[in-house]
Amino acid sequence: MIKLKYSNNLVNYTEALNYMDAQVANIYAKKGPETIWFLEHPDIYTAGVSAKPSDLLDKNIRLISTGRGGEITYHGPEMRIIYLMLDLKKRNLCDIKQYITNLENWIINSLAQIEIKAINIPGKRGIWVKDQNNQLKYNKIAAIGVRIRKWITFHGVAINYNPDLTKFSKIIPCGIKDSNFGITRIKDLNSQISKNDFDQILKLEFSKIFK
């Protein structure tokens, strides 16, 4: 049985890291359940293991280094963060690429339920949608950054529900400098869907991908 954890208040990033560390240890020791945590953070910029200092455009902002995959990104209010602490051995899924593909398909299928056509693009991390005004441009709607310890996963996905997109101007998100790749959010593409309703869709679609 997977534990679903929801946090209504903003969760400090360091607090989230400490929780994930403890939960991964508990899962490995068979002392705690697999956990999926839905949360949001206060404004924070984080660096993954592939981060480049040159991608931090505003040297005055605080940057936290973390062991997840990926480069520099932003997290903040109205962004749906989902941290997944899953036992891949238990799920016969000891394949990191396949795990990430499963996460991508989960988000893509969930967005399809609210009439947002999303795709993954080879060589470009994350989940993308075509720009409504420029068919040659793609905008990122979700990012993926994972870490795995003893085949237990942590970190996860960040979906742009309705964050302040101007915060991304202080960095080169995920190291992508090409002007044909931007950022978007759910509320700009489907203003009717509530965060709670989308959470319920994510929950349902998860069970179809991760048996």
Side-chain angles (χ1 to χ4, degrees):
M1 180 68 71
I2 297 177
K3 173 184 176 182
L4 293 177
K5 177 179 170 67
Y6 291 86
S7 293
N8 295 321
N9 297 322
L10 298 180
V11 178
N12 178 275
Y13 192 76
T14 301
E15 177 186 337
L17 290 181
N18 292 338
Y19 177 89
M20 286 191 287
D21 277 337
Q23 197 65 8
V24 166
N26 286 336
I27 294 169
Y28 182 74
K30 304 189 184 307
K31 294 181 179 179
E34 295 179 296
T35 302
I36 301 177
W37 188 8
F38 290 72
L39 70 154
E40 295 178 22
H41 290 304
D43 291 337
I44 188 71
Y45 295 87
T46 67
V49 294
S50 302
K52 304 178 189 69
S54 59
D55 288 345
L56 185 64
L57 302 179
D58 182 346
K59 306 302 182 184
N60 295 314
I61 64 176
R62 183 186 178 203
L63 182 68
I64 292 182
S65 294
T66 177
R68 63 161 172 79
E71 302 182 47
I72 294 176
T73 194
Y74 161 77
H75 295 320
E78 294 297 300
M79 181 180 286
R80 171 47 80 217
I81 307 294
I82 310 172
Y83 291 141
L84 302 99
M85 288 141 274
L86 304 175
D87 185 342
L88 295 185
K89 276 191 174 181
K90 174 182 174 182
R91 297 175 173 278
N92 295 315
L93 189 56
C94 294
D95 182 331
I96 296 173
K97 287 185 178 180
Q98 185 60 52
Y99 171 61
I100 292 173
T101 296
N102 286 3
L103 292 178
E104 290 173 339
N105 290 338
W106 171 39
I107 299 170
I108 289 169
N109 293 351
S110 297
L111 290 169
Q113 295 300 316
I114 57 171
E115 300 182 352
I116 296 176
K117 180 175 174 54
I119 61 171
N120 53 23
I121 299 175
K124 296 286 189 295
R125 293 187 182 94
I127 305 301
W128 303 84
V129 297
K130 274 193 175 182
D131 190 282
Q132 294 177 313
N133 301 312
N134 181 351
Q135 290 297 296
L136 297 177
K137 182 177 180 179
Y138 290 87
N139 295 317
K140 179 178 280 190
I141 197 167
I144 295 175
V146 304
R147 188 173 179 184
I148 295 174
R149 181 186 297 155
K150 297 177 179 178
W151 293 111
I152 311 295
T153 71
F154 52 130
H155 295 275
V157 305
I159 305 169
N160 297 337
Y161 175 72
N162 194 29
D164 179 358
L165 298 184
T166 65
K167 298 296 178 68
F168 286 96
S169 66
K170 297 178 182 291
I171 60 173
I172 297 176
C174 301
I176 298 174
K177 301 177 183 179
D178 190 331
S179 61
N180 286 321
F181 296 91
I183 304 287
T184 191
R185 54 192 174 186
I186 287 174
K187 290 295 275 186
D188 287 342
L189 303 174
N190 183 337
S191 61
Q192 302 303 311
I193 188 71
S194 71
K195 193 186 308 177
N196 181 66
D197 286 345
F198 189 58
D199 283 346
Q200 297 308 309
I201 291 169
L202 286 163
K203 179 181 173 182
L204 177 62
E205 293 299 322
F206 178 87
S207 65
K208 297 177 183 179
I209 297 287
F210 293 89
K211 304 297 183 181

